[in-house]
């Protein structure tokens, strides 16, 4: 329905878009990291876009399925135009940084903190990038695919189950 | 070289290729029941029917050969309907047995029905009843009601095991599999019939009702029961191995393995495991911590000034990594020690898979020791005269009473083993080891095939691999080697042992590599400089 | 469908003096006080061990195992319940039965009620009407964790006869 | 407003963006109302075990006397790894876990989850199923709002209205129990349908419940709404402007209280919300009092919707009939191998969802509950992300309470209606 | 002299232990029962001592509560000043008891006549001032307890207590000024007699307005009564003025860190405070032991039988009025939400205090006109 948004992004930022699809009606644009910030500003401030509601930000780990390994997914909505869009930025494990959108929408603050906490994705320019759901002493990032389902933490010592040379 | 189109995709194949193989080559899956790549093709289940322009009726894809200009359709409405009909026919007399059937979860019938039909039953009559629990042999039970008469088991006995033991009796819906009168399904490969049975008609007495297959966690391994080294899969539930199944490796074992290897996992559960390290404390043997035991072992070995007075019993149950680390120990701090290579006694062999040498890695250990310049005598030539200390690895040594007595005469006896054996009883210092289920590493079979072993079971924290102990002992005796992952050790093996040259850990998947098969190294392999034997430590 | 703005008035003078609303509040609470002194109509509490609520038919309570007509347990240890269980609280050990028609039965059947989340998936997953959660009974408190692991015989004590036709054999 | 303390304008704080990251000694320059007095800030921890921090949360408060200089909410005390657990569960097995997200309106989460998976599957459930889901959602919403309203009263010291509200909630929960078999851990919907149809006589039972609940709500209303003590505690407190609320990602009653009529049920009608008549109440000033009034009104609208659903509902199937999605009927499972196999496959492997990603969202008790699901084509989700509405609301708490009094945190925190299960997952 | 002291002590023991303590203890339970009924609940009814009936449960609960509290662990917070921490509940408790010395429970001899009032421990001319003097001491207990607990929440509660009690004492006192002016005395005994229509100058006369409305304080000073009620609830730190212990903000305010007996003594002190202010209110505004229609002369003279009957009836009337006021306080407590701290101060200083002053001024003006 609002494929128009995707088209507008592609038309306006031809270099920024890696790919796009609208599976099951969810319009999705995969962006290059360098262009994320300007696309976000465009989406928020352009009269035809007006994406004023930051719905969700999260990370996804595709370890063992796809390359690059990580993705940051933004869900945005416009209460004025009543359309939605999903932005994605693909990130390589070696360079897990993405510009923070806190300057565009204040509401992504905690969501970005959560993505940092769960995946270790660094949001450049975030004013207060701390862990949010886990605690400061937590080691590793819990939602990564290589974090075990039953992980143990320094504050909760449990027997190690490693297949290392022992 | 016929070129044909399957579902619109063009493919060129060798003459004589079946449509099924051609389709799988381009990634189109055609369901089958009776077809097995390792057996002949009777085309009796009709599941693989496809439409072709060369025949007025649907053609069995597993049997029909490709022809030029053939156009095959695996998804036409006609075929979809045919498959549903075949499934309905097969299920017509199939009992409502999933809850008690061991195959549920890996049942081809379940998969195909759910994928290709998933429509309700139209049966309005009684199902035909046949014998339910019929023992065909020592390890195989038949449920005739569940059988879909694909004859895979019959063909397997005839073609692979070369012993004609099974047949079909009666006709029509009363047909059933049975053994020839007076015969039993007791050939040494009988367990494979259970594996290849697409439904739950043949089940293993050993595995029957123990657990459900979808709860199992599998890990690839190598069967250690003989030097063939069949590629296997160990299925584990709640950290206990529940069964061993052969995996396809065309270079070693095709799809099969012998029952001996298949059921051997039980022996490891039956043997009493020893998980407590022990050492002499004030003249008595006590259970100590791992670190203390290793230190005690290092002191005992270090107390012997002349390395010639130390005897070392190595085992062909080492992984290549263990062997390399032990070789480092023997080349460095224990250089000059008298080395024996033990292992289990020879057993039966046949032309199919089984080898006489019942140890998994003799070839690998020998190659690595040779590269390290170590000479190992067979255990049969054991001579402990004049030895002051003994370091014994492994538990499955062919040692008779006399041999044990000879060992016991040595005053200091360090034993590294996993189970409670006579060796454990006589050890002055005991270090608990891991079994092959608990290790990551590689085995080299009699032909020099190097295959990877995954960890199937979590070991107790006190149990370590042979290589770890060798590494720690060497470290305590002045020769520091430090590795964390077995992969890293293997990389060293590949670098320093000629036969392994060019092999990589990743390169071993899926079917392994043969010694000498890797790319030759650019420069001759160099062994790391071995430390001179450390000065004897005061005991 | 419309958007309505909620009614929001500033307080009037009497409301601002507190007195009016305090009086109105007191009237309500006093009304309930006297009413509850006289009748128990509005009283929502129940004197629990003596007076028990009748649970609705669908109430998911403690599990029970059903029996066949001959009194044996219907469960054939297919372990679908422990598979469907999101909390992994069902532990079954299967065994081979002497009777060829039964073939498989649970040697032990344990449910750890401390882990159970009472979602009812086991009941839904059971392919032979063996496990049900319609006992209408609460899990009971206990002094040890082990007492919360209810065993086969306890589950059977609650269990009744199930005459659900099964296996299509009678047809 | 009866207050003599100068109150900083917490509608929009221009210093927000320039604010250094919180840390002791790095405080807001204008936060202290009494600059001429020499006062020392002091920090206290409110929670995680504190009567007002239900749901377990901790506020790190920097106070100047009783004035809040800085508030730093720490969440995560109820973090159970829902998203991690979901990755090893089949799509249906995730369902009981969704009960525990917003545990005062579990059915909304159930419906949201099922609908998300159905969206990924590309299937639509029968009308009757959708009507029942709507009724379930609305009952849930009523229980959610009753909780929020009455717990708010409790926290302001009004124990009696709290118990009236809870009594009303009990009545609603009893109806939910009749429908689902459990009051709170409902696990009612399934991918592609429902666990069971509505029980006999349930319509009447719900209607009785409505009468009782409305009577109790009237009492609560009388005890609170026009009472000056309550009014003064709520009105003008915790106010937020519409633009800020949107920018912070607010949804649900909290956003509507600012005057924005965003309601998923009308913006993107799911289920059959486009076939029923109801109003979306909005507030004017976005303060606690508006949030309270909006919730009261939404309860009334929910009863309206329920009545219409019952009137429009017709007999019919409650699940899609496809055996690849929903379990076959028990009779087919017991007696035919076909049903048995389908049953086994669904339990063992779960519903196979085509590879792809969807974001499904419904109007939960607190606002838009979203589920972002990435599927790799197997029976278990690759990644599940919940978009909990109060996550965004809680990050707005700072904007709503800085410069207010310690006591103002309480009603503001309450009207946000933070649910630990949802925010921490 | 010794005898006088002994008699006073005995009287104190009898009245305080026999009435106040019992009533306060009962109140802890009555409040729970009453609030339960207001909230559609049943309330405590499980602690049976003899048979399964409500009375048994009532008595049982009265026994069970103190037993339970006594068996709890006494906990002193680490780093707290242990001695002050333990002393504080006593400091809060004792003043509440002491206030009883000047409150007359029943009729004594006519003012000016010979003899002591049996129902009064200390017949002081400045009786009300004693009450205030003692009441202002109780704030020390709360603040000391709060301070000694060494907890941020306690401290906030303690500070609030101090501020609140200091603020509302002013109002409380001012609202009684009108009464003093009308009835012309600070002596509580005299005030009751005056409400009953006794005039020191003219004897009994003009006992009722319009012939049936008693000349009680509530009639002559209606606004003062309302203000007094509000201020007295604030004095006892009960909802809607329970800021010092505001549960949702400060956990339990100044006694957050108390357990076992310390906690019990604090809460018992609070209940005694409720009874005290109710008694003060009954004395000042509801005519004390005066029963409208019952000629007060009967208690003073005539046949001993009738006199003692009338006396005891009056005592009962006093108790009845106290209980009534107590129940009113409790109903209010369970009906209303809580103020915010600044609103409370605002109410006290901006509304109640000026209004009370105005009330005094108007009373003075009216008195000036009428006399």
């Amino acid at each position: 329905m609002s494929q128009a948004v995707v088209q507008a992004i592609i038309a306006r930022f031809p270099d920024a878009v890696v790919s796009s699809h609208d599976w099951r009606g969810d319009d999705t644009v995969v962006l290059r990291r360098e262009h994320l910030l300007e696309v976000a500003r465009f989406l928020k401030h352009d009269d035809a876009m007006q994406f004023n509601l930051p719905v969700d930000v999260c990370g996804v780990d595709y370890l063992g399925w796809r390359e690059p390994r990580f993705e940051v997914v933004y869900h945005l909505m416009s209460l004025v135009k009543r359309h939605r869009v999903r932005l994605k930025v693909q990130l390589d494990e070696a360079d897990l940084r993405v510009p923070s959108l806190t300057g565009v929408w204040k509401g992504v603050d905690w969501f970005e903190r959560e993505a940092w906490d769960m995946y270790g994705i660094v949001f450049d320019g975030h004013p207060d990038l701390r862990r949010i759901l886990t605690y400061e002493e937590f080691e590793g990032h819990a939602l990564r695919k290589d974090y075990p389902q039953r992980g143990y933490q320094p504050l909760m010592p449990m027997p190690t189950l490693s297949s290392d040379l022992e | 070289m016929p070129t044909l189109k399957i579902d619109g995709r063009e493919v060129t194949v060798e003459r004589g290729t079946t449509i099924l193989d051609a389709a799988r080559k381009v990634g189109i899956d055609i369901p089958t029941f009776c077809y097995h790549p390792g057996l002949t093709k009777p085309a009796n289940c009709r599941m693989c029917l496809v439409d072709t322009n060369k025949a007025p009726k649907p053609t069995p894809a597993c049997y029909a050969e490709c022809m030029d200009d053939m156009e095959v359709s695996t998804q036409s409405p006609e075929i979809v309907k045919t498959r549903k009909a075949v499934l309905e026919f097969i299920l017509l007399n199939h009992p409502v047995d999933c809850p008690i059937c061991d195959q549920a979860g890996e049942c081809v019938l379940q998969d195909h029905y759910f994928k290709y039909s998933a429509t309700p039953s139209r049966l309005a009559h009684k199902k035909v009843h046949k014998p339910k629990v019929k023992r065909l042999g020592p390890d195989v039970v038949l449920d005739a009601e569940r059988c879909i008469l694909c004859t895979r088991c019959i063909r397997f006995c005839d073609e692979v095991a070369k012993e004609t033991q099974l047949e079909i009796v009666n006709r029509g819906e009363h047909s059933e599999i049975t053994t020839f009168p007076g015969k039993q399904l007791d050939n040494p490969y009988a367990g494979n019939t259970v594996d290849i049975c697409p439904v739950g008609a043949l089940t293993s007495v050993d595995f029957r009702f123990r657990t459900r297959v979808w709860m199992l966690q599998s890990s690839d391994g190598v069967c250690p029961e003989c030097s063939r080294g069949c590629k296997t899969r160990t299925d584990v539930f709640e950290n206990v191995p529940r069964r061993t199944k052969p995996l396809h490796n065309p270079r070693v074992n095709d799809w099969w393995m012998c029952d001996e290897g298949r059921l051997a996992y039980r022996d490891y559960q039956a043997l009493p495991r020893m998980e407590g390290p022990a050492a002499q404390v004030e003249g008595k043997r006590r259970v100590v911590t791992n670190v203390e035991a290793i230190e005690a072992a290092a002191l005992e070995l270090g107390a012997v000034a002349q390395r010639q007075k130390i005897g070392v019993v190595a085992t062909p149950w080492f992984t290549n990594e263990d062997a390399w680390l032990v070789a480092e120990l023997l080349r460095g701090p224990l250089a000059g020690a008298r080395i024996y290579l033990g292992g289990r006694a020879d057993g039966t062999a046949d032309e199919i898979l089984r080898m006489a040498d019942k140890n998994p890695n003799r070839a690998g250990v020998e190659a690595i020791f040779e590269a390290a310049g170590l000479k190992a005598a067979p255990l049969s030539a054991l001579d402990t005269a004049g030895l002051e200390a003994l370091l014994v690895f492994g538990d499955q040594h062919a040692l008779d009473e006399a041999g044990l007595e000879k060992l016991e005469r040595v005053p200091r006896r360090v034993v590294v083993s996993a189970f409670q054996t006579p060796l454990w009883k006589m050890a002055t210092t005991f270090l608990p080891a891991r079994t092959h289920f608990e290790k990551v590493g590689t085995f080299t079979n009699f032909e020099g095939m190097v295959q990877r072993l995954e960890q199937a079971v979590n070991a107790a924290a006190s149990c370590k691999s042979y290589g770890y102990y060798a590494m720690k002992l060497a470290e305590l005796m002045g020769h520091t080697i430090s590795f964390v992952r077995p992969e890293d050790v293997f990389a060293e093996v590949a670098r320093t042992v000629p036969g392994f040259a060019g092999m990589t850990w990743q390169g071993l998947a899926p079917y392994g590599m043969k010694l000498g098969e890797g790319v030759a190294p650019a420069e001759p392999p160099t062994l790391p400089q071995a430390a001179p034997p450390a000065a004897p430590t005061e005991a | 469908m419309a958007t309505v703005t909620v009614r929001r008035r500033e307080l009037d003078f009497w409301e601002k003096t507190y007195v009016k609303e305090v009086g109105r509040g007191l009237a309500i609470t006093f009304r309930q006080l006297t009413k509850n002194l006289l009748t128990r109509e509005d009283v929502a509490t129940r004197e629990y061990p003596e007076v028990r609520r009748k649970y609705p038919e669908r109430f998911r309570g403690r599990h029970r195992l059903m029996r066949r007509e001959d009194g044996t347990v219907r469960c054939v240890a297919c372990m679908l319940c422990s598979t469907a269980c999101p909390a992994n609280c069902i532990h079954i050990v299967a065994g081979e039965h002497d009777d060829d028609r039964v073939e498989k039965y649970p040697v032990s059947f344990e449910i750890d009620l401390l882990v159970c989340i009472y979602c009812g998936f086991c009941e839904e997953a059971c392919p032979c009407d063996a496990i049900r959660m319609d006992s209408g009974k609460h899990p009971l408190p206990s002094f040890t964790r082990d007492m919360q692991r209810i065993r086969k015989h306890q589950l059977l004590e609650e269990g009744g006869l199930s005459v659900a036709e099964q296996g299509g054999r009678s047809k | 407003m009866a207050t003599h303390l100068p109150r900083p304008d917490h509608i929009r704080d221009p210093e927000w963006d320039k604010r250094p990251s919180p840390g002791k000694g790095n405080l807001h320059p204008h936060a202290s109302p009494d600059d001429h007095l020499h006062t020392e800030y002091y920090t206290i921890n409110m929670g995680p075990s504190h009567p007002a921090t239900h749901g377990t949360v901790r506020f790190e408060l920097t106070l100047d006397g009783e004035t809040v200089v800085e508030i730093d909410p720490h969440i995560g005390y109820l973090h159970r790894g829902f998203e991690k657990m979901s990755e090893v569960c089949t799509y249906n097995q995730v369902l009981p876990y969704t009960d525990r997200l917003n545990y005062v309106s579990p059915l909304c989460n159930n419906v949201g989850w099922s609908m998300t998976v159905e969206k990924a599957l590309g299937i639509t459930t029968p009308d009757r199923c959708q009507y029942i889901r709507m009724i379930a959602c609305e009952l849930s919403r009523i229980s959610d709002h009753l909780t929020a309203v009455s717990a708010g009263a409790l926290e302001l010291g009004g124990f009696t209205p709290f118990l009236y509200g809870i009594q009303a909630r009990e009545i609603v929960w009893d109806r939910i129990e009749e429908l689902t078999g459990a009051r709170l851990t409902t696990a009612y919907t399934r991918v592609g349908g429902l666990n069971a149809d509505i029980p006999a006589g349930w319509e009447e039972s719900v209607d009785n419940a409505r009468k009782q609940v409305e009577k109790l709500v009237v009492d609560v209303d009388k005890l609170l709404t026009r009472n000056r003590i309550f009014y003064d505690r709520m009105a003008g407190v915790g106010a937020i402007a519409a633009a800020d609320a949107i920018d912070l990602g607010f949804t649900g009653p909290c956003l509507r209280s600012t005057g924005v009529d965003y309601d998923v049920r009308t913006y993107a009608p799911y289920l059959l919300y486009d076939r029923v008549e109801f109003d979306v109440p909005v507030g004017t000033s976005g303060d606690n009092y508006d949030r309270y009034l909006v919730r009261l009104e939404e309860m009334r609208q929910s009863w309206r919707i329920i009545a219409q659903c019952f009137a429009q509902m017709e007999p019919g199937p409650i699940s899609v009939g496809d055996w690849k999605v929903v379990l076959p009927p028990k009779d087919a499972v017991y007696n035919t191998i076909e049903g048995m196999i389908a049953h086994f496959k669904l339990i063992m492997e779960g519903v196979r969802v085509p590879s792809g990603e969807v974001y499904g969202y419904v109007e939960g008790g607190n606002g838009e509950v979203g589920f972002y699901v990435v599927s790799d084509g197997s029976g278990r989700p690759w990644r599940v992300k919940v978009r909990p509405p109060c996550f965004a609301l809680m990050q707005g708490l700072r904007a709503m309470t800085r410069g207010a009094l310690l006591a103002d945190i309480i009603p503001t925190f309450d009207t946000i209606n933070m649910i630990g299960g949802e925010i921490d997952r | 002299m010794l005898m006088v002291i002994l008699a006073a002590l005995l009287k104190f023991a009898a009245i305080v232990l026999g009435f106040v303590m019992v009533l306060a203890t009962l109140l802890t339970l009555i409040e729970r029962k009453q609030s339960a009924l207001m909230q559609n609940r049943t309330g405590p009814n499980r602690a049976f001592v003899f048979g399964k009936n409500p009375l048994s449960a009532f008595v049982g609960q009265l026994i069970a509560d103190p037993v339970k509290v006594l068996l709890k662990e006494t906990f002193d917070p680490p780093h707290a000043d242990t001695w002050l921490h333990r002393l504080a509940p006593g400091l809060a408790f004792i003043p509440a008891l002491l206030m009883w010395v000047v409150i007359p429970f029943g009729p004594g001899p006519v003012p000016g006549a010979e003899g002591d009032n049996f129902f009064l421990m200390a017949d002081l001319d400045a009786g009300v001032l004693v009450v205030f003097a003692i009441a202002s001491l109780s704030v020390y207990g709360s603040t000391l307890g709060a301070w000694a607990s060494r907890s941020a929440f306690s401290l906030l509660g303690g500070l609030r207590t101090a501020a609140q009690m200091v603020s509302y004492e002013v109002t409380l006192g001012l609202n009684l000024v009108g009464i003093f002016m009308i009835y012309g005395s600070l002596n509580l005994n005299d005030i009751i007699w005056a409400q009953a229509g006794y005039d020191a100058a003219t004897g009994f006369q003009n006992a009722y307005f319009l012939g049936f409305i008693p000349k009680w304080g509530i009639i002559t000073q209606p606004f003062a009564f309302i203000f007094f009620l509000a201020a007295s609830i604030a004095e006892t730190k009960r909802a809607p003025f329970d800021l010092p212990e505001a549960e949702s903000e400060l956990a339990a305010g100044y006694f957050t860190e108390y357990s076992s007996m310390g906690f019990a003594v604090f809460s018992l002190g609070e209940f005694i405070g409720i009874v005290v202010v109710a008694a003060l209110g009954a004395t000042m505004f509801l005519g004390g032991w005066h029963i409208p229609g019952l000629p007060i002369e009967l208690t003073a003279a005539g046949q001993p039988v009738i006199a003692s009957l009338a006396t005891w009836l009056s005592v009962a009337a006093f108790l009845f009025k106290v209980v009534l006021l107590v129940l009113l306080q409790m109903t209010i407590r369970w009906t209303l939400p809580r103020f915010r701290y600044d609103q409370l101060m605002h109410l006290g200083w901006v509304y109640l205090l000026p209004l009370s002053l105005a009330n005094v001024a108007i009373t003075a003006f009216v008195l000036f006109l009428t006399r």
Side-chain angles (χ1 to χ4, degrees), chain E residues 177-214:
Chain E
V177 170
I179 298 282
F180 306 150
M181 285 156 72
I182 290 174
Y183 301 114
S185 174
L186 285 178
N187 185 317
L188 293 171
N189 208 13
D190 293 356
I191 290 174
I192 296 173
W193 278 101
Q195 288 185 65
Y198 178 82
D199 190 323
T202 56
F204 297 105
Q205 60 165 312
N206 194 16
Y208 301 100
F209 295 123
L210 306 175
F212 68 96
I213 303 171

Side-chain angles (χ1 to χ4, degrees), chain D residues 257-274:
Chain D
S257 75
T258 65
V260 182
D261 66 343
Y262 175 56
D263 186 326
V264 183
R265 292 175 294 173
T266 55
Y267 266 55
Y270 55 98
L271 296 175
L272 300 172
Y273 276 110
D274 45 356

Side-chain angles (χ1 to χ4, degrees), chain E residues 170-183 216-229 284-285 350-368:
Chain E
V170 182
T171 314
L172 198 68
L174 271 177
N175 281 307
L176 297 184
V177 170
I179 298 282
F180 306 150
M181 285 156 72
I182 290 174
Y183 301 114
W216 289 358
I218 191 169
I219 307 299
T220 56
Q221 288 280 300
F223 291 110
F225 177 68
I226 292 170
F227 301 152
F228 174 83
L229 200 64
M284 292 301 200
F285 292 98
V350 178
Y351 292 117
L352 289 184
L353 187 66
L355 284 173
S356 306
L357 279 170
N359 184 44
V360 171
I362 292 166
T363 310
F365 187 64
V366 171
L367 281 178
F368 173 73

Side-chain angles (χ1 to χ4, degrees), chain C residues 18-33:
Chain C
Y18 296 99
V19 180
K20 179 181 165 191
E21 284 302 315
V22 171
R24 200 150 82 129
L26 286 180
I28 289 171
T29 46
F30 194 70
R31 185 193 76 206
Q32 289 306 119
L33 176 67

Side-chain angles (χ1 to χ4, degrees), chain A residues 159-166, chain B residues 434 440 455 464-465 468 484 486:
Chain A
T160 52
L161 313 170
S162 76
S163 63
D164 287 349
L165 183 81
E166 278 188 345
Chain B
R434 290 187 172 192
V440 179
Q455 187 180 13
K464 314 280 183 189
S465 67
Y468 174 86
V484 178

Side-chain angles (χ1 to χ4, degrees), chain E residues 73-83 85-86 145-152 154 256-259:
Chain E
E73 181 195 356
T74 305
F75 173 75
D76 292 309
H79 312 299
D81 189 320
T82 313
W83 282 108
H85 186 72
R86 292 187 181 170
W147 182 80
S149 294
R150 203 171 167 139
S151 146
S154 292
T256 304
E257 303 293 340
Y258 281 92
S259 61

Side-chain angles (χ1 to χ4, degrees), chain E residues 53 87 201 246 297 300 306 338:
Chain E
N53 57 64
L87 180 69
E297 301 88 327
I306 295 173
R338 177 185 307 125

Side-chain angles (χ1 to χ4, degrees), chain D residues 7 44 46 50 52-54 57-63 66-73 155-156 233 237-238 288 291 394 397-398 400-416, chain E residues 248-249 340:
Chain D
R7 311 287 297 281
I44 64 172
M46 204 162 153
H50 185 278
T53 56
H54 46 81
V57 63
R58 175 163 70 97
F59 302 115
E60 202 180 311
L61 299 173
T62 306
L63 296 180
E66 292 226 2
T67 312
V68 179
V69 180
E70 183 60 85
I71 171 168
D72 186 11
E155 269 146 27
L156 297 183
R233 291 294 305 269
V237 174
N288 289 336
R291 289 193 271 276
M394 274 300 279
L397 183 69
R398 188 187 245 161
M400 285 148 84
T401 54
R402 282 207 314 177
L405 289 177
L406 176 65
D408 285 342
I409 295 173
I410 310 301
T412 311
F413 173 66
D414 179 79
T415 48
I416 281 176
Chain E
S248 54
E249 296 149 35
R340 195 171 61 204

